[in-house]
Amino acid sequence: MDEHISLADVSQLVVTEIETFVVPAPRPDQLGETLPAAWFAQQLDQMREALIEPYIAEIDGDGRFPGSIPKPVPRQVAIVAEDDDIFLAYDPDPDGDFALIFKSASGFGVSPNRGHAVDCFMSR
């Protein structure tokens, strides 16, 4: 885990993202129907419920789903939310962003979906 950011800092970053989240405006090139604001509010409520006291976990993963990794690459992440077998984690490598961690029978894998905490959580 990057020594420059503490678990408390990661936790505060997530809370700030939730509290400052703005429902995205529809885009002209968007496919499908626009999600209603109520959907986003529900997702934010679910995320608040899933938040936990952050802890460090070592996982095997290099950005691919479980079972597809030919050679696991151990890494330390800070788990900040748990939703069944899906975890939201701060991953300091390579860019200090958030990712979903999936738990399966074959172990833990890091989703290639990376970015802001709220966006990752809503993509689960």
Side-chain angles (χ1 to χ4, degrees):
M1 187 72 192
D2 184 354
E3 63 274 356
H4 296 98
I5 188 164
S6 70
L7 291 177
D9 291 339
V10 172
S11 182
Q12 185 57 52
L13 180 61
V14 173
V15 170
T16 300
E17 279 194 35
I18 291 170
E19 298 308 317
T20 60
F21 179 79
V22 176
V23 174
R27 296 178 12 190
D29 60 343
Q30 174 178 314
L31 297 175
E33 293 186 33
T34 302
L35 290 169
W39 182 86
F40 290 97
Q42 178 186 31
Q43 290 295 305
L44 291 173
D45 286 343
Q46 289 177 5
M47 186 173 182
R48 285 183 192 96
E49 291 174 12
L51 292 177
I52 60 168
E53 186 70 32
Y55 64 91
I56 301 296
E58 185 165 302
I59 60 162
D60 290 334
D62 65 352
R64 292 179 252 177
F65 291 100
S68 68
I69 303 168
K71 181 178 178 187
V73 179
R75 66 184 342 132
Q76 287 189 334
V77 298
I79 305 294
V80 298
E82 296 180 357
D83 185 27
D84 295 322
D85 288 338
I86 302 173
F87 304 89
L88 177 65
Y90 174 77
D91 183 0
D93 295 327
D95 299 316
D97 55 9
F98 288 86
L100 292 179
I101 308 295
F102 294 91
K103 182 180 177 185
S104 72
S106 62
F108 293 92
V110 182
S111 167
N113 185 0
R114 308 179 69 89
H116 296 285
V118 171
D119 295 336
C120 286
F121 188 84
M122 288 185 184
S123 71
R124 71 196 192 293

